[in-house]
Amino acid sequence: QVQLVESGGGLVQAGGSLRLSCVASGRTFSNYAMGWLRQAPGKEQEFVAAITWSGGTIFLSDSVKGRFTISRDNAKNTVYLEMNSLKPEDTAVYYCAAGGLGSDLRKYGYWGQGTQVTVSS
């Protein structure tokens, strides 16, 4: 089992920045690719970003390329999502997840409880 706890969400104005953190416990964190996924009100969950176990390769959805980036610190069992130039359409609950590496959400076997990000216009 892997337990994931997100933090860093909140209310921010359009154009602002936030950094989300996700701390993992349980099985060896560095064994897992990690991802960030989100769900906006009334919409399905969608892929945002993912990073390989080593941190050497990252994947970003087209909607966040150039604005968001993902990173990890295996010594701290933590994965980050740096979000810049935020837009109102980025408003969603953001979930940290382990085990997947792309947009197939079924590949993510472990999920955190989510953290709310609200971007005001």
Side-chain angles (χ1 to χ4, degrees):
Q1 290 288 337
V2 177
Q3 292 79 43
L4 303 170
V5 179
E6 303 98 332
S7 61
L11 174 64
V12 63
Q13 288 188 333
S17 299
L18 282 175
R19 187 175 81 156
L20 305 183
S21 300
C22 172
V23 178
S25 60
R27 291 188 176 180
T28 305
F29 173 72
S30 58
N31 287 348
Y32 291 88
M34 298 294 298
W36 286 96
L37 313 158
R38 68 186 181 186
Q39 186 167 22
K43 296 187 177 181
E44 294 185 351
Q45 289 175 329
E46 65 171 347
F47 168 76
V48 177
I51 187 166
T52 55
W53 68 270
S54 67
T57 303
I58 67 171
F59 303 88
L60 298 167
S61 70
D62 289 342
S63 62
V64 305
K65 279 181 182 176
R67 301 188 299 121
F68 292 12
T69 192
I70 184 172
S71 61
R72 67 191 294 164
D73 184 340
N74 286 343
K76 296 182 178 179
N77 286 358
T78 303
V79 61
Y80 305 97
L81 184 68
E82 188 76 37
M83 306 186 293
N84 300 309
S85 302
L86 282 160
K87 304 175 181 180
E89 50 264 44
D90 294 317
T91 294
V93 177
Y94 283 72
Y95 298 91
C96 170
L101 201 58
S103 58
D104 185 350
L105 304 187
R106 298 169 297 178
K107 296 292 181 64
Y108 295 90
Y110 303 99
W111 293 67
Q113 82 289 349
T115 186
Q116 177 70 47
V117 172
T118 303
V119 184
S120 63
S121 57

